[in-house]
């Protein structure tokens, strides 16, 4: 769905949408959407900028970085964004952005693609480090057993003996 300048010039645009899993393209991200995504947003024009404010809610699932087991990522996120015409980039670099305007993006053409706004917010809510639990023991580097399930028969590695192993592994 496209939100166009033409429409925004007439009135603010409110959007309430539900996207089922598979409906949005996350551009090869390493997670999958496992619940319907609900988003409520309002867009209005602020000078030449498009202002979009709203809330997105869904649930994702990814693989644990250590043991490859499933990690559930609940998404519950407010957003408040400004999109500038791409033609102003050169000028914008010289202007220092006020603190409260740090969430600034750019758009080209006649408006913004609403789904792009939504997928970006979902991607931003995924933590950099994905672990099923903070003390996940991961897989044995020798035999590949899941060490959360139990100890395997392999002799302890140097890493396991070191008291700092948990810091280095993370
Ligand atoms: Zn894990
Ligand atoms: Zn092992």
């Amino acid at each position: 769905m496209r939100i166009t300048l033409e429409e925004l010039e007439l009135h603010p645009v409110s959007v309430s949408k539900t996207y089922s899993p598979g409906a949005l393209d996350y551009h090869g991200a390493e997670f999958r959407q496992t619940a319907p995504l609900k988003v409520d947003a309002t867009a209005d024009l602020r000078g030449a900028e498009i202002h979009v404010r709203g809330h997105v809610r869904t649930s994702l699932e990814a693989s644990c970085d250590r043991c490859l087991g499933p990690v559930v990522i609940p998404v519950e996120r407010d957003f408040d964004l400004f999109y500038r015409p791409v033609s102003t980039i050169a000028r914008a670099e010289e202007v220092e952005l006020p603190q409260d305007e740090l969430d600034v993006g750019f758009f080209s053409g006649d408006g913004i693609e609403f789904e792009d706004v939504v997928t970006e917010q979902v991607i931003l809510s995924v933590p950099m480090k994905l672990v099923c639990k903070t003390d996940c023991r991961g897989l044995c580097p020798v035999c590949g057993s899941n060490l959360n399930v139990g100890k395997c028969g392999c002799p302890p590695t140097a890493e396991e003996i070191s008291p700092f192993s948990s810091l280095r592994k993370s």
Side-chain angles (χ1 to χ4, degrees):
M1 166 188 185
R2 204 160 171 84
I3 299 177
T4 62
L5 289 171
E6 197 180 8
E7 193 175 2
L8 291 171
E9 270 160 16
L10 302 175
H11 52 76
V13 175
S14 289
V15 186
S16 252
K17 265 182 166 295
T18 302
Y19 298 94
S20 41
L24 291 169
D25 178 9
Y26 294 109
H27 308 287
E30 287 177 349
F31 59 76
R32 47 194 197 87
Q33 186 189 322
T34 51
L37 179 150
K38 286 187 196 301
V39 57
D40 296 293
T42 309
D44 61 348
L45 213 52
R46 302 283 177 95
E49 297 180 358
I50 298 175
H51 175 224
V52 190
R53 201 159 54 90
H55 185 84
V56 61
R57 179 157 51 99
T58 187
S59 188
L60 311 173
E61 193 177 282
S63 296
C64 174
D65 289 342
R66 293 184 200 158
C67 75
L68 308 178
V71 184
V72 173
I73 311 161
V75 174
E76 188 80 55
R77 186 180 174 94
D78 288 317
F79 54 89
D80 196 337
L81 313 159
F82 290 87
Y83 291 88
R84 294 196 167 149
V86 75
S87 54
T88 63
I89 282 187
R91 228 164 24 109
E93 277 170 351
E94 296 158 21
V95 181
E96 218 168 291
L97 297 175
Q99 280 298 324
D100 60 347
E101 268 193 45
L102 289 177
D103 283 330
V104 173
F106 293 92
F107 71 92
S108 57
D110 66 344
I112 54 172
E113 207 63 55
F114 185 66
E115 282 75 14
D116 289 347
V117 176
V118 177
T119 53
E120 190 187 9
Q121 292 308 305
V122 172
I123 289 167
L124 286 173
S125 48
V126 176
M128 294 290 288
K129 219 166 265 173
L130 284 168
V131 284
C132 60
K133 49 185 180 178
T134 49
D135 62 345
C136 172
R137 306 179 71 90
L139 302 177
C140 169
V142 179
C143 71
S145 306
N146 188 336
L147 299 174
N148 297 309
V149 177
K151 263 196 157 303
C152 56
C154 303
T157 60
E159 219 177 81
E160 275 168 5
I161 295 164
S162 157
F164 300 109
S165 61
S166 61
L167 290 177
R168 264 194 282 125
K169 246 190 277 176
S170 61

